[in-house]
């Protein structure tokens, strides 16, 4: 099946630093989504991207849908302790029938 | 309003036993999804219900896994003759419907441990 490669697998940063993570695929996706999961909770949708080249912001978060439709990145500016969690990318294929998730990026923020 | 709820939050069972996991979607959401999340891994799609249509079972890993959705609302995921490799967090999500809607709302999950 389709695979989403998400990197880095984990990050340990200082509060106030900017963060960048990305997802790549060998296949084209029509929609990219970014979720955050906190311990003991289900993932929560952060940003949805529907068009190649689209750049969308949600507060301190910015995500882009790559022009090739095979990649996406998520940036977090001026990180704070509550940004801690696992961030997942997810893509929807041409058939629109399945959401494929990346392996996640575990973010840890040191106050 | 109330979000997606799942029960139990934790389940420990012995190998070979059957288990049932329950999901209550957001009221009015017609689409419901089950995923499995193994430790440190991403989410693996299991099954998808949309209204009264036949479910998409393409992600179920074996015939020991089955799911029902009664009255278009509550869903139960059943795992028969559990194996240790079934240990994972089982997540349920719902969305407003209209096909495979991507903005899914997740429950907190059920952590299943098979001894």
């Amino acid at each position: 099946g389709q695979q989403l490669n998400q990197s880095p697998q984990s990050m340990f940063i200082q509060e106030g630093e900017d963060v960048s993570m990305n997802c790549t695929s060998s296949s084209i996706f029509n929609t990219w989504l970014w979720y955050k999961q906190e311990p003991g909770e289900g993932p929560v949708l952060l940003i949805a991207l529907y068009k190649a080249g689209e750049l969308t912001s949600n507060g301190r978060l910015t995500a882009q849908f790559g022009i090739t439709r095979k990649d996406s990145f998520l940036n977090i500016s001026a990180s704070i302790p509550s940004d801690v969690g696992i961030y997942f990318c997810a893509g929807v294929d041409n058939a629109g029938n399945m959401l494929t998730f990346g392996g996640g990026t575990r973010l840890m923020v040191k106050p | 309003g109330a979000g997606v709820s799942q029960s139990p939050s934790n389940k420990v069972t012995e190998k070979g036993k059957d288990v049932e996991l329950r999901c209550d979607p957001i009221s009015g959401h017609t689409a419901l999804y089950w995923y499995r999340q193994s430790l440190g891994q991403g989410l693996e799609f299991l099954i998808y219900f949309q209204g009264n249509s036949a479910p998409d079972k393409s992600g179920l890993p074996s015939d020991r896994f089955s799911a029902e959705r009664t009255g278009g609302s509550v869903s139960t995921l059943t795992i028969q003759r559990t194996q240790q490799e079934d240990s994972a967090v089982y997540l349920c999500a719902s969305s407003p419907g209209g096909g495979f809607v991507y903005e899914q709302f997740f429950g907190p999950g059920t952590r299943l441990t098979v001894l």
Side-chain angles (χ1 to χ4, degrees), chain A residues 33 35 37 42-43 50 88 96-97, chain B residues 37 42 100 102-104 106-107:
Chain A
L33 306 169
Y35 285 86
Q37 184 178 29
Y50 298 105
F88 290 100
N97 292 329
Chain B
Q37 185 177 26
F100 196 94
Y102 314 136
E103 297 184 18
Q104 300 175 20
F106 283 83

Side-chain angles (χ1 to χ4, degrees), chain A residues 47-70:
Chain A
I47 290 180
L49 302 158
Y50 298 105
K51 199 168 21 173
E54 181 180 354
L55 182 73
T56 297
S57 294
N58 179 6
R60 293 178 296 105
L61 277 61
T62 301
Q64 184 158 30
F65 189 147
I67 287 289
T68 65
R69 295 160 69 193
K70 294 183 179 181

Side-chain angles (χ1 to χ4, degrees), chain B residues 40-79:
Chain B
Q41 301 295 315
L43 279 69
E44 174 190 4
F45 168 77
L46 296 178
I47 189 169
Y48 158 53
F49 295 89
Q50 172 56 55
N52 296 321
S53 302
D56 176 353
K57 304 179 182 180
S58 59
L60 293 179
S62 79
D63 58 8
R64 297 186 295 104
F65 288 71
S66 63
E68 289 185 343
R69 190 177 184 194
T70 54
S73 180
V74 172
S75 177
T76 301
L77 177 69
T78 301
I79 308 173

Side-chain angles (χ1 to χ4, degrees), chain A residues 88-107:
Chain A
F88 290 100
C89 61
V92 182
D93 62 13
N94 285 339
N97 292 329
M98 188 171 293
L99 206 57
T100 301
F101 281 83
T105 295
R106 183 179 297 273
L107 178 64

